[in-house]
Amino acid sequence: MIADAPNVVLDARDIVKELGQGAGKVRALKGVSLQLNAGELTLLMGPSGSGKTTLLSILGCILTPTEGTLTIAQEPTAGLGPEGLAALRRRHIGFIFQSYNLFPTLTAEENVRLALDVRGERGSEATVCAQRALQQVGLRHKLKSYPANMSGGEQQRVAVARALAGSPSVMLADEPTAALDSENGVAVMQLLSEIAKDKSRAVLAVTHDPRTIPFANRILRIEDGLIVGEERRAEGVETVHELARNRKRKANA
Amino acid sequence: MTLTLAFRNLFHDRVRLAVTLVGILFSIVLVAVQLGLYLGARTMIISMIDRADGDLWIMAYGTKNFEEAQPISAREKYAALATPGVARAIPLVASFTDWRKPTGGSTLVVVIGAEYEDRGLAPWNVVEGDVSGLGARDAVMVDKTYLAELGLKGVGDTAQIGMSRVRVTGLTEGIRSFTVTPYIFTTLTRAKSLLDMPADNITYVLVKLQPGADPVAVRDMLKVKVPDSEVLTRAEFRERSLNHWLFATGAGVALIGGAILGLVVGTVIVAQTLYSSTKDHLNEFATLRALGSSSGYIHRVILAQAGLSAVLGYALGMAIALAIVYLSEHTALPILMTPALAALLLVLTIAMCAISAISAIGKVMRIDPAMVFNR
């Protein structure tokens, strides 16, 4: 049997990023090349200061590389200005942040609808879409709750729903479990691995949380601005789901 | 969602919202009072000119306004009547003099004399008595606003002008002068007598034109016929009076200056609070940017915040301004509020808030969206 060719949704080549100016100039990324495949959850791991967040910012079209090329869903980013990059983010990228970055004055449903509104999706269709996304993350009962009335895990799931609602080609998560306890961290990672099964979407999570490793299809290790290792975990996901089920059973008992 | 987000951002911090609204409210009330006083002053300055049934005014050279006119020859009336296009020529008298109160003391008044049958200039808004009553011996009419100022209680009271006794036979309401000097209406003959004016002198000839006659053409003809006097169209006389009282004396400039000051203060307060609100929500704006919102989308959120503040501040400010207008209604210096002024205030408020939003927009445009990763 011949395996399907991977569907590359993000292709970064020889990315270099220099930060600062003059004598304070620092080379945060020194020529990073990576591809994100649809249907995969990739972890980007590395010590503090290794360039994880800078790389995530570049892959998310928030920062532009000093050198190198980036293509997302077959759209090259070269030459795009801030508005062009914002449009590319709207079309293809969903973000999940370490601190959730929900709008405290909006309900869970409104937070998700806002992301759709930014994309020009409004009205009852947007409401249905937001509700569906929240249902997908198990928060159908929290539609009208404000972030202040939700646990950290619930807030992060709202953030996942917000990223999911726009059907992005790439989901980028920045330390998605860092602010969560063990149980909520597992729940969020389970959710991300489920989302990553979608054959039209790639998920990349920047993390240094070892609890996330079992959920990954692939792990990239970055050090000092360079990718220094790559590990494929073909059967990892199934094992992890079993692990999570066992943990849940244990908690219930 | 932009409106929802703007609304929630505004109401999230009630104290800041209160400060913003007080700023706008203060500004609106100040501007409304200043412009309302300006409008009220305008109306008072030109009320006699607008009420007089005439298209042209013949007066002494250099007359700056209705109240401060020098005498001219009564013969100018006949020169006017002999001019083609003139239907009527009505002599008028208006001059300052002293009013001796029945309660003692005196005050300055403007005596206006005209024969009411001439349909030139008669008291209006009569609330007690009748204009025809001016034909009675010593009869004068005054405005209710000035009763206390004139030492009067009402109709039937007597006072003295010069050496002559006058008796109040009627009252008007709302005929006030910009100089806060009461108008005393009486007949032409009695006015001349009260003012000690020679029989062949008057102050104005009010010229009513025949239908279809061109005021400018007739004015030019009259200028030749009455070379010792000045001839102005109604519009020219209005303009001259307004220029004198509002701009030559600086009164109007002070009122407009006050209004501008109100706008500047309001703009600064709103800009300051909007800027600090934006600064507090900077991370949310950075998140919006990271989610892919265009800068236009963020501008709309901030402008919606400014617009909501404007509408709320306007509603509160107008409520207070209208209360002040109501309280000033029966004073010597009434504040006017017209639909046009109310609309202008709304436009000014929205413009003020939109200008205030510029600094907040500038702050948001300098956001580094990468800050969303640094919390």
Side-chain angles (χ1 to χ4, degrees), chain A residues 53 56-57 62-63 82-83 86-87 89-90 95 97 99 101 103-107 110 113-115 117-118 122 146 162 174, chain B residues 1-2 4-5 8-9 12 281 283-285 287-297 300 368-370 372-375:
Chain A
T53 302
L56 190 73
S57 302
I62 282 177
L63 289 180
E83 292 304 314
R89 287 199 293 276
R90 275 200 296 279
F95 277 110
F97 306 103
S99 307
N101 287 34
F103 288 71
T105 56
L106 300 180
T107 63
E110 287 167 340
R113 266 177 48 209
L114 182 64
D117 196 63
V118 161
R122 298 182 182 114
Y146 286 91
R162 178 174 67 184
D174 178 36
Chain B
M1 285 301 289
T2 48
T4 309
L5 188 58
R8 302 280 175 82
N9 277 356
H12 182 58
H281 292 102
N283 210 278
E284 290 163 32
F285 287 117
T287 303
L288 265 183
R289 199 74 175 126
L291 292 178
S293 84
S294 62
S295 33
Y297 189 93
R300 284 199 293 280
D368 175 9
V372 288
F373 297 120
N374 302 331
R375 282 176 82 182

Side-chain angles (χ1 to χ4, degrees), chain B residues 193-215:
Chain B
S193 157
L194 293 172
L195 294 167
D196 235 355
M197 193 180 268
D200 63 340
N201 275 8
I202 51 173
T203 319
Y204 296 105
V205 177
L206 185 60
V207 178
K208 179 74 179 168
L209 299 183
Q210 287 167 353
D214 176 15

Side-chain angles (χ1 to χ4, degrees), chain B residues 349-367:
Chain B
T349 312
I350 291 171
M352 178 175 82
C353 290
I355 290 167
S356 304
I358 290 172
S359 60
I361 287 173
K363 179 76 184 167
V364 168
M365 286 301 93
R366 291 192 297 273
I367 289 181

Side-chain angles (χ1 to χ4, degrees), chain A residues 151-246:
Chain A
S151 69
E154 286 173 333
Q155 289 186 55
Q156 192 59 297
R157 281 193 280 159
V158 173
V160 172
R162 178 174 67 184
L164 199 57
S167 305
S169 313
V170 182
M171 272 176 81
L172 301 175
D174 178 36
E175 304 278 6
T177 60
L180 302 176
D181 59 25
S182 171
E183 193 180 338
N184 279 310
V186 168
V188 166
M189 285 312 294
Q190 254 185 300
L191 199 55
L192 289 179
S193 67
E194 282 298 323
I195 290 165
K197 282 181 181 168
D198 188 327
K199 293 296 179 194
S200 63
R201 179 178 302 133
V203 179
L204 173 74
V206 163
T207 182
H208 53 243
D209 182 356
R211 295 173 303 176
T212 59
I213 293 173
F215 297 89
N217 301 105
R218 189 162 67 123
I219 299 168
L220 298 172
R221 296 199 186 271
I222 184 168
E223 266 178 42
D224 200 20
L226 282 169
I227 302 284
V228 293
E230 179 176 349
E231 180 188 338
R232 280 214 163 265
R233 298 175 54 84
E235 292 157 20
V237 177
E238 290 306 320
T239 316
V240 158
H241 287 165
E242 188 58 35
L243 200 77
R245 274 194 292 275
N246 288 340

Side-chain angles (χ1 to χ4, degrees), chain B residues 28-373:
Chain B
I28 302 247
V29 171
L30 189 57
V31 176
V33 167
Q34 297 292 316
L35 292 183
L37 277 172
Y38 177 82
L39 273 190
R42 262 186 79 93
T43 307
M44 287 190 289
I45 289 166
I46 58 176
S47 66
M48 290 298 167
I49 302 168
D50 281 353
R51 279 284 168 172
D53 186 19
D55 304 301
L56 299 173
W57 290 72
I58 300 174
M59 64 192 77
Y61 267 107
T63 302
K64 290 174 181 154
N65 56 72
F66 177 79
E67 289 87 354
E68 292 178 317
Q70 294 300 310
I72 58 172
S73 167
R75 286 192 299 274
E76 308 290 38
K77 170 187 169 180
Y78 302 105
L81 283 172
T83 306
V86 172
R88 293 198 309 272
I90 304 147
L92 294 180
V93 161
S95 184
F96 284 101
T97 191
D98 265 334
W99 169 282
R100 293 169 70 183
K101 303 176 191 179
T103 49
S106 66
T107 188
L108 203 61
V109 294
V110 175
V111 171
I112 298 171
E115 300 305 344
Y116 71 91
E117 305 90 346
D118 290 345
R119 291 169 289 145
L121 179 61
W124 65 97
N125 287 353
V126 177
V127 291
E128 242 185 291
D130 192 89
V131 177
S132 60
L134 285 177
R137 187 184 165 85
D138 302 335
V140 294
M141 284 178 89
V142 300
D143 196 83
K144 274 175 79 174
T145 315
Y146 299 117
L147 280 177
E149 166 82 11
L150 296 170
L152 303 171
K153 288 195 180 71
V155 170
D157 282 3
T158 57
Q160 202 172 320
I161 295 179
M163 298 304 289
S164 309
R165 190 183 85 120
V166 290
R167 188 166 53 86
V168 178
T169 58
L171 296 176
T172 62
E173 186 165 13
I175 305 181
R176 283 161 288 200
S177 75
F178 176 66
T179 55
V180 204
T181 309
Y183 289 125
I184 309 295
F185 287 96
T186 188
T187 60
L188 182 70
T189 316
R190 189 172 303 117
K192 282 185 182 178
S193 157
L194 293 172
L195 294 167
D196 235 355
M197 193 180 268
D200 63 340
N201 275 8
I202 51 173
T203 319
Y204 296 105
V205 177
L206 185 60
V207 178
K208 179 74 179 168
L209 299 183
Q210 287 167 353
D214 176 15
V216 176
V218 179
R219 180 201 63 188
D220 292 343
M221 281 190 281
L222 268 173
K223 276 183 176 175
V224 178
K225 294 221 174 192
V226 289
D228 295 334
S229 301
E230 195 168 11
V231 188
L232 297 181
T233 63
R234 183 207 295 255
E236 286 167 341
F237 194 24
R238 286 170 98 233
E239 194 68 22
R240 184 181 287 187
S241 298
L242 288 171
N243 279 339
H244 173 73
W245 285 123
L246 292 178
F247 300 107
T249 65
V253 176
L255 291 173
I256 292 172
I260 292 170
L261 187 69
L263 283 176
V264 170
V265 170
T267 305
V268 169
I269 292 174
V270 179
Q272 205 269 331
T273 50
L274 207 59
Y275 182 82
S276 73
S277 163
T278 304
K279 219 173 147 193
D280 280 4
H281 292 102
L282 219 47
N283 210 278
E284 290 163 32
F285 287 117
T287 303
L288 265 183
R289 199 74 175 126
L291 292 178
S293 84
S294 62
S295 33
Y297 189 93
I298 294 175
H299 293 175
R300 284 199 293 280
V301 174
I302 295 172
L303 286 172
Q305 257 181 267
L308 282 170
S309 307
V311 171
L312 285 173
Y314 175 79
L316 293 171
M318 275 303 280
I320 293 174
L322 286 174
I324 294 173
V325 167
Y326 176 77
L327 291 175
S328 79
E329 204 172 35
H330 299 290
T331 64
L333 266 180
I335 299 165
L336 280 195
M337 178 58 69
T338 62
L341 178 56
L344 174 71
L345 283 171
L346 179 61
V347 171
L348 283 176
T349 312
I350 291 171
M352 178 175 82
C353 290
I355 290 167
S356 304
I358 290 172
S359 60
I361 287 173
K363 179 76 184 167
V364 168
M365 286 301 93
R366 291 192 297 273
I367 289 181
D368 175 9
M371 71 184 280
V372 288
F373 297 120

